[in-house]
Amino acid sequence: MIIAIDGPAASGKGTIARQIAAVYGLHHLDTGLLYRAVAKAVLDAGHSPDDAQRATEAAVMLDPSKFEDNALKLQVITEAASVVAAIPQVRQALINYQREFATKPPGAVLDGRDIGTVIAPGADVKLFVVASPEVRAARRVRELRARGEVVEEADVLADLLRRDERDSRRTSAPLKAAPDAHLLDTTHLGIDAAFRAAVDIIEAVRAGRKRR
Ligand code: CDP
């Protein structure tokens, strides 16, 4: 079984994806980490994230053992990740890794921006997770402060909106719901309620399949 979970920044997709993977016994890949790792490699080497050639080289050389690095979650990397993610050759270089991951038995949950549209268009279940910008900013502020970063809520909100805009407008694999994705709005849902809503959708899709 392959489950695709897409959505804008801090919508709750990562938390839902992790819990769904645990409950169904599937592998989980936070695909944002790939773009973050590429961004960090480019910045560490002293280049600009919009340097398409350097960024593509970093994507080709991607080292999954570095996905655990806590530094990947820093705000500066987050911003640079959305810049490298708009470069078509970078996205192209990362497709195989994601598709191979998705098809590893017994299956996987992948969360990102283009899983249901580009990486796994044949996924068994597709969720598109959204929440209001204000709620997303408040969640991200809590996460960043818990990690010791000093941030202002207004700046975090502006960053989310800027990234959403960049991710939605890029020509290569823009952030958008697949036509067959199920919308899950977590604005008024806590972590447990969002998880239960996701399970309900997955179970309804599976039950519908069996009946046919
Ligand atoms: O946690 P958050 O949603 O803020 O970020 P993320 O999922 O780690 O993604 C960071 C950036 O990587 C996004 O702003 C996108 O530009 C890019 N990304 C993407 O283009 N495609 C994906 N499948 C995943 C992330």
Side-chain angles (χ1 to χ4, degrees), residues 48-62:
S48 163
D50 62 5
D51 183 330
Q53 196 186 331
R54 304 286 187 180
T56 306
E57 281 165 16
V60 169
M61 307 282 292
L62 184 79

Side-chain angles (χ1 to χ4, degrees), residues 9-10 13 31-32 36 82 85 91 113-114 140 163 167 170:
K13 62 189 184 309
T31 63
R36 289 170 182 270
S82 91
R91 306 199 71 85
R113 304 289 189 289
D114 63 339
R140 187 47 49 94
R163 248 174 349 112
D167 291 346
R170 68 183 177 220

Side-chain angles (χ1 to χ4, degrees), residues 84-163:
V84 300
I87 302 169
Q89 304 93 301
V90 167
R91 306 199 71 85
Q92 186 62 38
L94 300 176
I95 286 181
N96 279 350
Y97 177 82
Q98 296 174 84
R99 289 200 176 140
E100 274 167 25
F101 190 98
T103 51
K104 269 200 296 194
V109 182
L110 282 81
D111 71 89
R113 304 289 189 289
D114 63 339
I115 309 304
T117 51
V118 175
I119 301 299
D124 298 278
V125 188
K126 299 180 186 178
L127 299 179
F128 196 78
V129 184
V130 297
S132 75
E134 291 72 22
V135 164
R136 293 190 285 128
R139 288 178 187 158
R140 187 47 49 94
V141 164
R142 273 199 303 275
E143 275 172 35
L144 292 171
R145 288 192 180 147
R147 271 197 218 102
E149 282 204 64
V150 179
V151 289
E152 289 298 328
E153 190 145 344
D155 296 341
V156 172
L157 175 60
D159 164 70
L160 290 184
L161 295 176
R162 191 172 56 243
R163 248 174 349 112

